[in-house]
Amino acid sequence: MPTALVARRGLLRLAVIAPVAGLAACMGGVGSYSVEEGVRRLLTLSSQRAFGRLIRPGGFYDDQLTRLAVPDLAGDRSGAVLAAILRTNAVRTRIAVAINDLAVDAADRATPILLDAIRRMSFADALAVLRGGPTAATDLLARETEGAVLRAMFPEFSTGLRGDAFEILSAALGASTGFDYNAMADMLARQAGQAIFRAIGREEADIRRNPRATGDPVLIALLGG
């Protein structure tokens, strides 16, 4: 892996972990924190755990909950060509792995955007969020940031689909005319964004089930641990 990419991922991992560490460092009595702060803690920790899984090698592909599917291009003018090339499981798997590897890189771009959004969000009814369903906070985060996450990840897919990892796909598409790489990149970026929020929601639900395991007295108090 190129040194620059390793360095970038290292910095982004710090961006994921730092907010949680900072909250823990300044932790005082539970009474000094608002319910709104509790929601932020819940979302920050859920996101930190989710990205910890997603941005490691195979983070998307190895998990059925987050794996991106090879787009179905039936009906596109390149559909017949792709159907012939993608009829074997080996080729489909190769392309699926490459697509999910792009999602890992794209998630690097989304990480700081989501964490910054959590810090800036204003929770009109934080108590309702805490008392809501198992993914209530994640659902709110998705509504607030889905567009920004898509815009952040799109360039990674748009550039990556033209890269060497997709030489089979590129050869097939080269035989057709009018194929829209940007439309495919947009489709995959949307898939990746939805996968990220599913991963965060899973972590939120797990924290709600057992807040005591977090070791955070604020979350334990607010979530009834």
Side-chain angles (χ1 to χ4, degrees):
M1 183 180 296
T3 301
L5 180 56
V6 172
R8 181 164 70 89
R9 287 192 177 173
L11 288 173
L12 289 175
R13 283 182 173 85
L14 287 175
V16 172
I17 296 168
V20 177
L23 286 172
C26 68
M27 189 179 298
V30 173
S32 65
Y33 289 92
S34 66
V35 176
E36 184 171 330
E37 178 62 20
V39 175
R40 286 198 178 91
R41 283 171 177 257
L42 176 59
L43 277 175
T44 300
L45 184 56
S46 300
S47 299
Q48 183 265 330
R49 290 180 174 182
F51 280 114
R53 294 174 182 266
L54 292 173
I55 63 179
R56 64 191 180 192
F60 280 80
Y61 185 81
D62 293 341
D63 188 340
Q64 289 286 352
L65 183 71
T66 60
R67 182 183 299 173
L68 275 65
V70 177
D72 182 6
L73 298 176
D76 187 273
R77 277 176 289 179
S78 62
V81 179
L82 282 174
I85 291 177
L86 299 177
R87 65 177 177 265
T88 65
N89 288 334
V91 174
R92 288 190 64 85
T93 298
R94 180 176 174 181
I95 292 177
V97 169
I99 285 173
N100 282 271
D101 284 347
L102 282 183
V104 172
D105 294 334
D108 271 347
R109 294 177 178 267
T111 305
I113 288 175
L114 279 176
L115 291 171
D116 184 62
I118 292 169
R119 288 191 292 267
R120 295 173 180 271
M121 280 176 69
S122 176
F123 301 95
D125 194 347
L127 188 59
V129 172
L130 284 180
R131 289 178 174 175
T135 63
T138 302
D139 295 342
L140 175 61
L141 179 65
R143 290 194 297 271
E144 294 286 331
T145 64
E146 196 168 17
V149 168
L150 174 62
R151 289 190 295 274
M153 294 193 298
F154 174 82
E156 198 71 47
F157 285 103
S158 180
T159 301
L161 287 172
R162 296 172 171 84
D164 293 341
F166 291 90
E167 68 272 13
I168 293 177
L169 186 60
S170 298
L173 298 180
S176 75
T177 58
F179 180 80
D180 191 342
Y181 273 98
N182 285 340
M184 186 173 181
D186 182 80
M187 182 191 312
L188 292 173
R190 290 181 187 278
Q191 273 198 60
Q194 291 164 2
I196 286 172
F197 289 118
R198 286 196 300 271
I200 296 173
R202 175 173 56 190
E203 299 299 336
E204 178 189 351
D206 184 62
I207 291 169
R208 285 177 181 270
R209 280 192 297 270
N210 186 16
R212 189 168 295 280
T214 68
D216 185 331
V218 176
L219 287 177
I220 292 169
L222 291 175
L223 295 174

